[in-house]
Amino acid sequence: MSALPVVPTLPVVIVLAAGRGERFLASGGAAHKLDTLLDGKAVLSHTLEAVHASGLAWHLVRPEGGTGGMGESIAMGVQATAEAAGWLILPGDLPLVQATTLQRVAEALAEQAIVVPHFHQQQGHPVGFGRSYADALASLRGDVGAAAIVREARACGNVQDLPVADDGIVRDVDTRADLGLAQDLLRARRLQIHSPTQ
């Protein structure tokens, strides 16, 4: 599933939503974590809202029956958007990620082959990959993600670490406790937005 036409000079956001969400179910979740309601909307809907707001083209990887793992999901997304200038790999369980962060990673990708966002020294998502990594990403298999590609690129000086003021890049929803924390953080964000300026 894709939305917005691919622009040859801009990266495409690959939203990974094919995982089984077993940890969430084991923690007491009654449904798949991406379909569970957070502040009245599915977790995945929050993530996609940020993607829409970024203005970037995107592709959702959520085939019937799932995939063999993260590596296979990434490969499917890249193969389906082969004409893109690059890719932002974004797990669907990051409902607090901000659109401005996606835009910043996309902009940085114009200058560097791989861009890794960090919040307070914590590595997060989306990780951006330039077009030169198309074959490596499209060749991923099973549940082995792109970490090895990033490690090799870092050894060659091809990775930019991008500090961002967005804790949403590290706040994934893996358990019921994570969902509760995300709800609290969303509530706090709303209060911050609506509180009068001092």
Side-chain angles (χ1 to χ4, degrees), residues 2-175:
S2 294
L4 297 181
V6 172
V7 179
T9 55
L10 291 173
V12 172
V13 184
I14 303 294
V15 183
L16 306 178
R20 296 185 185 90
E22 289 167 349
R23 280 183 61 195
F24 187 80
L25 294 170
S27 74
H32 192 288
K33 63 181 181 179
L34 296 181
D35 301 320
T36 298
L37 293 185
L38 168 64
D39 209 33
K41 284 182 296 200
V43 167
L44 181 60
S45 295
H46 286 275
T47 309
L48 291 177
E49 275 184 11
V51 175
H52 292 162
S54 76
L56 295 166
W58 56 279
H59 180 82
L60 178 66
V61 179
R62 200 177 197 188
E64 199 73 37
T67 67
M70 182 179 277
E72 187 177 322
S73 294
I74 293 171
M76 283 180 69
V78 170
Q79 289 164 11
T81 56
E83 68 278 29
W87 299 271
L88 270 56
I89 307 301
L90 180 66
D93 64 352
L94 288 168
L96 303 182
V97 71
Q98 296 175 20
T100 51
T101 299
L102 302 183
Q103 291 164 346
R104 285 195 61 202
V105 173
E107 287 162 9
L109 205 53
E111 307 293 330
Q112 185 56 281
I114 294 180
V115 178
V116 181
H118 287 257
F119 176 76
H120 292 180
Q121 282 77 54
Q122 257 188 296
Q123 182 175 316
H125 287 91
V127 176
F129 293 87
R131 186 160 182 79
S132 59
Y133 285 95
D135 290 345
L137 293 170
S139 301
L140 290 171
R141 294 288 176 266
D143 201 27
V144 180
I149 297 172
V150 175
R151 273 198 305 275
E152 284 180 28
R154 192 179 289 285
C156 301
N158 290 336
V159 176
Q160 177 186 345
D161 292 308
L162 181 70
V164 296
D166 176 8
D167 63 348
I169 71 167
V170 296
R171 300 285 186 195
D172 56 348
V173 175
D174 269 342
T175 64

